[in-house]
Amino acid sequence: MPPSVAAPRSLRRLFSTSSFFPPPAAAAAAAAVAQPRVEPEPNTNLFVSGLSKRTTTEKLREAFSQFGEVVHARVVSDRISGYSKGFGFVRYATLEDAAKGIEGMNGKYLDGWVIFAEYARPRPPPASPLNNGFPSYGHQ
DNA sequence: TGTGAGCGC
């Protein structure tokens, strides 16, 4: 089934106004470090972007709860200003609920804005208390 | 104009 709307990352090139070609070596080096163009593998965690600044965590959970059991939802906001950054995360209880959530909410309107829902990228923990707050450095 | 394409403390 083809998606009815483009993925957020695909929109970036539409905003590009560059009229010259980048150096091939630099482009190849950047491609080696950049994220692959494939979508993230299915996960119960969803990354939701395109949110209105007025959309709150409760509204996010409310909207996504129609398609499955939401165990956690969060709109990311600036810690000091308190304003929404325009994206958030929704975690479903099961993979199939997450899939239904994407199918049901991706490209739909929430608070007047078209939102994008996709699988969130896996994120390693910043530090482990077992290592005295320091990340593992390969030392045994 | 927290009018943006952004992965969380």
Side-chain angles (χ1 to χ4, degrees):
Chain A
M1 55 190 89
S4 56
V5 293
R9 281 192 306 277
S10 302
L11 296 178
R12 301 219 309 188
R13 57 177 177 177
L14 298 180
F15 290 85
S16 174
T17 54
S18 300
S19 57
F20 60 91
F21 292 94
V33 184
Q35 307 285 345
R37 300 116 179 81
V38 297
E39 288 123 43
E41 56 186 275
N43 192 284
T44 55
N45 217 21
L46 262 53
F47 172 67
V48 186
S49 57
L51 296 176
S52 166
K53 305 291 186 185
R54 298 166 297 183
T55 301
T56 179
T57 292
E58 306 171 7
K59 195 68 180 294
L60 187 69
R61 174 192 289 266
E62 212 174 293
F64 278 80
S65 293
Q66 310 173 77
F67 305 96
E69 181 184 353
V70 175
V71 297
H72 186 71
R74 161 172 295 178
V75 169
V76 178
S77 54
D78 189 273
R79 255 208 307 204
I80 51 179
S81 70
Y83 287 107
S84 168
K85 289 187 176 180
F87 64 92
F89 295 89
V90 173
R91 172 169 291 183
Y92 279 100
T94 63
L95 279 175
E96 47 190 43
D97 282 352
K100 287 189 294 184
I102 291 181
E103 291 296 319
M105 289 304 297
N106 188 32
K108 300 301 173 57
Y109 279 90
L110 185 59
D111 282 338
W113 284 76
V114 178
I115 69 172
F116 299 96
E118 57 188 302
Y119 293 111
R121 297 175 188 153
R123 180 157 189 85
S128 172
L130 300 178
N131 286 333
N132 200 22
F134 287 94
S136 301
Y137 219 76
H139 187 75
Q140 299 178 5

